């Protein structure tokens, strides 16, 4: 169905730019169509928006309850907003490996709204992968095998006390609030009804009933498959850019190629629902 009140430009690989609107004054028709574009494309990108932290929070609340990230540094005065910051003297950045947010939770976040606050002079792009289309492109036999499987997701090796030595110059909180959860490897997407490959390189540690060693070759195969050019896109940030991704339909990773410069983003995660297996 065509869009009438907004301009939706599909990107090759993953996502769409949504233009011709002001997020601070959406008409009812535009709001309906933005929701439809989000379901259709999995990640939507906006340009030339000017959201204050209060307006960022208000926009997030239109989508649902805010799911405050317990590990990230909050923005001063705005506990609902997480800082995604890299300072000029830092070597590490947040989110460098392919992942999707909060899969270590029993009820993972639905989506994340990332607002650019301070950008480096070059680089600092974010890559996105379409995990619904990537799943569809697997062979029928592998799809059927994966539909019957579950995977263990954990925050412990990323945010737990024993992971601190790997953080380098990153700071995370609540190292004691970590643990494992189990999700189906293939979920039925709650909005689109499509099947999605719900494992990711950061937080999935193994398939349920399999050792880490046995799981690794198949997980690595799935990660290599879903990150081919045909399923991915690159978002180049500009002042006023916003990305809103569905954590059940996409993976993302932040490119760490701007050493010596600051990059500061504000992220709000919107609460999701319990996930159901595809079959
Ligand atoms: C994230 O992984 O949530 C941050 C992505 C980015 O900084 O581009």
């Amino acid at each position: 169905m065509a869009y009438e009140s907004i301009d939706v430009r599909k990107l090759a690989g993953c996502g769409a730019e949504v233009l011709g609107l002001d997020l601070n004054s959406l008409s009812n028709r535009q709001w309906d169509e933005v929701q439809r574009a989000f379901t259709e494309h999995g990640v939507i990108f906006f340009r030339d928006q000017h959201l204050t932290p209060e307006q960022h929070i208000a926009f997030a609340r239109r989508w649902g309850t805010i799911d405050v990230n317990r590990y990230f540094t909050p923005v001063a005065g705005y506990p609902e907003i997480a800082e995604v910051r890299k300072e000029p003297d830092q070597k590490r950045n947040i989110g460098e490996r392919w992942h999707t947010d909060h899969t270590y939770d029993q009820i993972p976040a639905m989506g994340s709204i990332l607002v650019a606050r301070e950008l480096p002079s070059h680089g600092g792009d974010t890559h996105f992968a379409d995990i619904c289309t990537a799943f569809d492109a697997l062979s029928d036999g592998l799809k059927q095998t994966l539909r019957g499987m579950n995977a263990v997701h954990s925050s412990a090796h990323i945010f737990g006390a024993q992971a601190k030595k790997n953080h380098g110059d990153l700071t995370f909180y609540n190292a004691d609030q970590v643990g494992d959860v189990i999700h189906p490897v293939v979920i039925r997407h709650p909005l689109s009804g499509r099947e999605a490959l719900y494992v990711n390189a950061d937080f999935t540690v193994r398939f349920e009933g399999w050792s880490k060693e046995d799981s690794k070759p198949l997980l690595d195969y799935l990660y290599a498959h879903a990150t081919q050019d045909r399923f991915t896109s690159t978002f180049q940030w500009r002042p006023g850019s916003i990305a809103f991704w569905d954590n059940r339909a996409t993976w993302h990773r932040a490119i760490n190629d701007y050493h010596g410069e600051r990059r500061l983003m504000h992220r709000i995660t919107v609460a999701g629902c319990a996930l159901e297996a595809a079959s």
Side-chain angles (χ1 to χ4, degrees), residues 237-254:
W237 295 90
R238 300 196 298 253
S241 297
I242 296 175
F244 180 22
W245 60 85
D246 188 320
N247 285 305
R248 297 89 41 105
T250 58
W251 296 335
H252 59 279
R253 66 168 174 170

Side-chain angles (χ1 to χ4, degrees), residues 84 94-95 99 101 114 125-126 237 245 252 254 263 265 267:
V84 178
I94 292 175
H99 67 284
D101 302 330
L114 193 68
D125 300 345
T126 308
W237 295 90
W245 60 85
H252 59 279
R263 180 178 184 270
M265 318 293 273
R267 194 183 87 181

